[in-house]
Amino acid sequence: EVQLLQSGGGLIQPGGSLRLSCAASGLTFRSYAMAWVRQAPGKGLEWVSTISGSGSDTYYADSVQGRFTISRDNSRSTLYLYMHNLRAEDTAIYYCAKLPDVVIVPAASRGYFDYWGQGALVTVSS
Amino acid sequence: DIQMTQSPSSLSASVGDRVIITCRASQNIDYYLNWYHHKPGKAPQLLISAVSTLESGFPSRFSGSASGTDFTLTISSLQPEDVGTYYCQQSYGTSYSFGQGTKVEIK
């Protein structure tokens, strides 16, 4: 059974940094692309970032480009999201999610999120 | 970037009613359209992938279809456990996007 167990999150001041982790089990981790999706309070789902199975390819939403970094340690079956220069509008529940393919190829990869972590709340406030 | 316009934003229907949720893409996305069901306090669940492939664990009263850049999620007979928010998501390029969501309640 695929399981994604998240850790990290919490209260952080504007301008601060935080790291989220997502430990995967029940799958060959390096064989799947992974992603982060967030939900701000009272808002809908927002895709944040995606990383290929090898970690060589990464993609970001415009709202986080240059401030967030997605990475993975396939030896530890763990996904990370490093968040810098945090803003109040980054306050959200952050979910890690698994994709069904190892690479992200436009109009070829399936690109859906078939397994999700339990979520981690990040609150950016002074 | 591809924009997804979902409607309605909310609806209230009776048990047994047929419910239809629509999603329109701002450009061609072929069949790279997925639907999720999200209940408060829980992680979203993949409901339908590639327009019409129903995920295991979900009943056959859920179905999806497409016409050009318009996509539809249909619940043929609404049940109490179907409440929550439904989101469409396009996965055509490398920058993904969700619709705004449709909150479904029981009347």
Side-chain angles (χ1 to χ4, degrees):
Chain A
E1 179 191 6
V2 174
Q3 290 192 331
L4 302 175
L5 185 61
Q6 296 183 228
S7 58
L11 175 63
I12 187 76
Q13 291 189 338
S17 298
L18 200 63
R19 186 190 79 170
L20 302 180
S21 301
C22 173
S25 60
L27 77 168
T28 304
F29 185 65
R30 65 180 180 275
S31 296
Y32 300 99
M34 298 290 294
W36 291 96
V37 176
R38 69 184 181 184
Q39 183 179 33
K43 303 293 185 181
L45 299 176
E46 178 188 17
W47 168 76
V48 173
S49 182
T50 309
I51 186 169
S52 61
S54 68
S56 61
D57 299 309
T58 58
Y59 306 90
Y60 298 92
D62 290 344
S63 58
V64 306
Q65 179 76 50
R67 299 187 300 121
F68 288 14
T69 300
I70 190 172
S71 67
R72 63 192 297 159
D73 184 340
N74 287 342
S75 68
R76 297 178 182 271
S77 297
T78 301
L79 173 73
Y80 301 101
L81 184 67
Y82 294 85
M83 302 181 290
H84 304 286
N85 191 20
L86 282 161
R87 307 166 179 167
E89 53 265 35
D90 295 318
T91 295
I93 297 173
Y94 285 74
Y95 296 99
C96 63
K98 169 191 165 293
L99 286 81
D101 300 308
V102 65
V103 293
I104 300 102
V105 179
S109 304
R110 288 168 285 182
Y112 52 77
F113 310 115
D114 52 5
Y115 290 91
W116 296 67
Q118 82 277 18
L121 177 61
V122 173
T123 303
V124 184
S125 175
S126 54
Chain B
D1 288 356
I2 300 172
Q3 310 299 320
M4 304 302 295
T5 304
Q6 188 174 340
S7 62
S9 57
S10 66
L11 65 90
S12 180
S14 300
V15 172
D17 281 355
R18 183 181 184 89
V19 169
I20 296 175
I21 299 169
T22 62
C23 201
R24 173 169 290 176
S26 60
Q27 67 179 69
N28 172 53
I29 59 170
D30 286 341
Y31 55 90
Y32 294 94
L33 189 284
N34 314 297
W35 292 96
Y36 299 84
H37 182 211
H38 193 195
K39 291 187 175 183
K42 295 197 169 185
Q45 287 186 283
L46 177 65
L47 170 61
I48 287 174
S49 60
V51 174
S52 60
T53 301
L54 184 66
E55 293 301 302
S56 61
F58 285 96
S60 59
R61 63 178 178 271
F62 292 94
S63 64
S65 62
S67 176
T69 57
D70 293 334
F71 301 87
T72 300
L73 172 67
T74 300
I75 308 174
S76 61
S77 177
L78 186 68
Q79 299 301 306
E81 58 268 30
D82 300 337
V83 298
T85 303
Y86 292 83
Y87 295 92
C88 62
Q89 175 240 340
Q90 66 80 18
S91 53
Y92 182 72
T94 58
S95 180
Y96 302 145
S97 53
F98 290 88
Q100 301 94 321
T102 298
K103 186 174 184 179
V104 174
E105 298 176 327
I106 299 292
K107 192 181 296 182

